[in-house]
Each structure stands twice: as structure tokens, then as C-alpha cells.
């Protein structure tokens, strides 16, 4: 896991796709797997809910540097980005995860830092939830990819199948996402990099499903949610 990923991992995806849940889980597993410094940046200035900055204390206790809004307060819906987002872009001793807002507005923020992101030093992974209206078919997924690429001026390098219904997710949901992304991968020439699901579902995923399996813990949602 992680060995084929570039040093900078940019995670994009539509609202409700689970990109922040994936990003936080990924950063934690990355920290467990490497002796390098790990940082996660919360670039989601669009959606006030389920942002990686909400788990700042937990992540920092595990030795992960968290870069979030320059204005303190988890529930503030203000378009402020901390200047030190640039530090792990330039400092190659960091392994870096960037959680980006879910639409072209979020991607525009990412585009501001393009000059600090070298070609060949990043992956941009697009999280796809096949039972979300905007990305439930090939055309919708292509449209979302193209919009993000045009706005950020960066290229999607891999897909993540994170098709879910939160705690009601079944293996059939994962298989639905696999079918869609295999179609998208064939047409667009972009590999399926990961398939993610909660641990009890991840253990059921058959070998023919594409992507490296990443078992998720529900970190961003409290038990009652």
C-alpha cells in the first residue's frame, strides 16, 4: 500500500463521496507505514460539515501535521486557507495528503498552488460514489473529472471506488462502483487505484474487483450519525 503513490496525494470527489473519510484514513495508515513526516491539508472551504480539520487533535496525537483554515473554529464557513499549506509542497521530507473541496470552487483553491506542485511529484485521486446522482454514470463521472481538471489545471491520475451508503453499505454497492469505474478507466485510460469500504465489507471484496483495498474506519461520523 502507498508504494506506487506520488509524494503529494490530492484527493478530490463530489460532495457526499466520502473523500474526507478516505483522506483521513489514508493519512493515518500512511503514518503507520512510513518513518517520514506526514501532513494533511484541509482545502475544503466550501462545505462546513465533515472536514478533516475537525479531527486535528486526534491526527496530531498520531504525529500527523494538520494544515487547515487560517481562522480558528471548526464550524466557521469562511474561505480562509493557511499559508503553511506551501511548506510540505516544497519540503520533500513530507508525505502529503490534500483534501480538496468537492466542486470547481474547491478546485479553484487548489489551482492557486499549482506552481508549487511539480509534474511527477503528485497524484490526484478522484473519489467516485456510483450511487450519487452526479457521478452515478460514465458521463457524469467524466464531467466531474473534466471540470476539476480544468479549474485546478492538474490531471486526475487515479480513481478511488468508494461507493457506499454509510453504515448500510453492502458488497453490491462496491461492485456497482467497480463496474462504473472499469468502464471509466477503459475509456479515459486512468487506473483504479483504490477500492475503499468499511472493514467488514472490505474483507468480503473479491479478487476481481479493481484497486488496492483500503479498509476504512468511520472517523468523521459520530456513532449516532
Amino acid at each position: 500500500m502507498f508504494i506506487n503513490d506520488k509524494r503529494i496525494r490530492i484527493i478530490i470527489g463530489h460532495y457526499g463521496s466520502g473523500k474526507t473519510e478516505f483522506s483521513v484514513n489514508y493519512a493515518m495508515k500512511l503514518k503507520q507505514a512510513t518513518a517520514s513526516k506526514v501532513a494533511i491539508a484541509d482545502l475544503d472551504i466550501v462545505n462546513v460539515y465533515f472536514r478533516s480539520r475537525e479531527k486535528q487533535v486526534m491526527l496530531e496525537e498520531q504525529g500527523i501535521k494538520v494544515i487547515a483554515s487560517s481562522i480558528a473554529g471548526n464550524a466557521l464557513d469562511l474561505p480562509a486557507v493557511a499559508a503553511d499549506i506551501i511548506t510540505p509542497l516544497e519540503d520533500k521530507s513530507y508525505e502529503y495528503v490534500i483534501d480538496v473541496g468537492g466542486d470547481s470552487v474547491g478546485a479553484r483553491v487548489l489551482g492557486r498552488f499549482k506552481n508549487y506542485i511539480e509534474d511527477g511529484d503528485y497524484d490526484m485521486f478522484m473519489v467516485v460514489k456510483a450511487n450519487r446522482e452526479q457521478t452515478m454514470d460514465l458521463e457524469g463521472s467524466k464531467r466531474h473529472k473534466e471540470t476539476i481538471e480544468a479549474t485546478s489545471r492538474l490531471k486526475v491520475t487515479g480513481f478511488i471506488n468508494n461507493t457506499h451508503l454509510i453504515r448500510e453499505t453492502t458488497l453490491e454497492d462496491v461492485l456497482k462502483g467497480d463496474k462504473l469505474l472499469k468502464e471509466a478507466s477503459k475509456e479515459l485510460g486512468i487506473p483504479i487505484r483504490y477500492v475503499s469500504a468499511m472493514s467488514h465489507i472490505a474483507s468480503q471484496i473479491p479478487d476481481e474487483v479493481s484497486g488496492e483495498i483500503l479498509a476504512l474506519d468511520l472517523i468523521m461520523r459520530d456513532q449516532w450519525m
Side-chain angles (χ1 to χ4, degrees):
M1 184 177 288
F2 312 125
I3 61 173
N4 295 318
D5 298 346
K6 304 297 185 186
R7 184 182 70 85
I8 300 168
R9 293 88 160 171
I10 302 165
I11 314 299
I12 66 167
H14 227 297
Y15 301 123
S17 64
K19 67 174 181 58
T20 295
E21 192 74 80
F22 180 91
S23 298
V24 171
N25 273 267
Y26 184 105
M28 291 171 61
K29 293 179 188 298
L30 180 60
K31 183 59 182 177
Q32 293 165 8
T34 181
S36 301
K37 295 184 291 186
V38 174
I40 183 170
D42 180 356
L43 271 192
D44 192 346
I45 65 169
V46 181
N47 181 20
V48 72
Y49 301 109
F50 304 118
R51 299 186 293 196
S52 50
R53 72 189 71 172
E54 298 172 17
K55 302 301 177 181
Q56 182 166 351
V57 172
M58 180 198 72
L59 290 166
E60 289 180 344
E61 286 175 348
Q62 298 188 34
I64 299 170
K65 179 179 177 66
V66 179
I67 301 168
S69 174
S70 58
I71 301 175
N74 287 339
L76 295 178
D77 195 12
L78 298 172
V81 178
D84 57 349
I85 184 177
I86 296 171
T87 300
L89 292 176
E90 296 185 316
D91 184 347
K92 295 185 183 297
S93 67
Y94 275 99
E95 299 291 326
Y96 203 10
V97 180
I98 304 177
D99 177 15
V100 181
D103 65 0
S104 59
V105 175
R108 190 172 298 120
V109 176
L110 176 64
R112 288 171 49 191
F113 302 98
K114 182 184 183 301
N115 291 339
Y116 297 94
I117 302 173
E118 299 176 9
D119 291 343
D121 199 28
Y122 79 91
D123 275 308
M124 187 157 74
F125 296 141
M126 176 175 160
V127 179
V128 176
K129 178 181 175 182
N131 47 18
R132 180 166 182 79
E133 182 179 359
Q134 292 87 344
T135 54
M136 67 189 303
D137 57 24
L138 178 59
E139 289 307 311
S141 297
K142 284 173 58 179
R143 188 161 49 248
H144 185 61
K145 166 194 167 291
E146 290 165 359
T147 299
I148 297 297
E149 287 182 333
T151 306
S152 68
R153 296 174 291 146
L154 297 167
K155 294 294 184 182
V156 172
T157 62
F159 289 125
I160 298 168
N161 174 14
N162 190 46
T163 303
H164 66 91
L165 291 171
I166 312 176
R167 293 182 178 85
E168 303 303 317
T169 305
T170 66
L171 179 59
E172 286 66 33
D173 294 308
V174 178
L175 297 178
K176 179 180 179 180
D178 184 62
K179 180 179 179 181
L180 169 62
L181 283 181
K182 281 178 175 172
E183 186 181 3
S185 179
K186 181 178 180 180
E187 176 158 334
L188 301 172
I190 297 172
I192 302 171
R193 188 66 192 88
Y194 290 99
V195 51
S196 53
M198 287 186 292
S199 298
H200 69 285
I201 299 295
S203 64
Q204 303 175 37
I205 296 175
D207 292 342
E208 58 266 25
V209 169
S210 296
E212 191 170 352
I213 297 172
L214 193 145
L216 300 179
D217 295 319
L218 275 185
I219 295 170
M220 299 307 301
R221 289 177 176 270
D222 293 329
Q223 186 61 39
W224 60 269
M225 300 177 78

